[in-house]
Amino acid sequence: MNVASNRPHPQIVHRSAAWWQEVQKNGEAVQPVFNSDGTVTGIDLAKAIADPNSGQQLGAVKGRIPIHYLDRASYTLPLAKLSSSLRVQILAPTENDLMKPIRTLTSDGLKDTSEVLGGTPIAQKAIELVQQLQVQNPPEEPTIQSFDYGNGDWGLLTASMQGNQRYLLATIPGSSWVVVGATTQKELASQG
């Protein structure tokens, strides 16, 4: 039930909402927010509120970061000196088990796009990484590597080649999101 809000909300009870169920299961939820044309407009963050003595979940707090806040990162791009062929994209799962780009970072700045870098094959690899991470077992597939973030979180990493493009995919801690990096094979070869 809504206890406080910065504006009226049409739904008072949220038990059936995907974010609420995720918080109940994992203690937190991070989900993109889409408008009617499929563009990401924000990122919802939710965290469980628990009794400090018993650990019993009492509720959840939820907030939204407007996506235009990420655009502020584009001011630091001249410092990053990204190569002209490098593109980085954050993918988030949708309710129908697909992956949706949140933003794409290029040497020209942040871009809105509905296309996953590398298309369906890379989106499928991202889904497989998230599914493997949820199983919480070390990967059995030799092309997927596990790594420790050093704070108790661990992630998965894989690479893929398509044509002259090389893709690197890694899970993002505390979420079901995947970051994809893409560059040309020629660019990699020139860097040694």
Side-chain angles (χ1 to χ4, degrees), residues 24-82:
Q24 293 298 304
K25 180 180 173 188
N26 298 321
E28 61 187 20
V30 179
Q31 298 177 334
V33 179
F34 302 100
N35 67 11
S36 60
D37 70 357
T39 303
V40 177
T41 60
I43 300 169
D44 280 351
L45 307 169
K47 185 85 173 157
I49 300 171
D51 181 298
N53 296 319
S54 69
Q56 177 185 4
Q57 260 183 341
L58 304 173
V61 62
K62 179 182 168 194
R64 178 169 295 162
I65 299 171
I67 200 70
H68 68 269
Y69 283 13
L70 291 180
D71 292 339
R72 294 179 183 174
S74 65
Y75 297 124
T76 63
L77 281 177
L79 301 174
K81 297 181 182 171
L82 296 177

Side-chain angles (χ1 to χ4, degrees), residues 94-112:
T94 63
E95 290 181 8
N96 52 359
D97 291 328
L98 300 173
M99 288 303 234
K100 177 87 175 164
I102 293 178
R103 281 283 209 261
T104 302
L105 178 63
T106 71
S107 60
D108 296 326
L110 288 168
K111 307 285 183 194
D112 286 324

Side-chain angles (χ1 to χ4, degrees), residues 147-163:
F147 59 95
D148 186 349
Y149 284 102
N151 59 358
D153 287 331
W154 65 284
L156 297 175
L157 176 76
T158 191
S160 178
M161 282 291 298
Q162 288 185 31

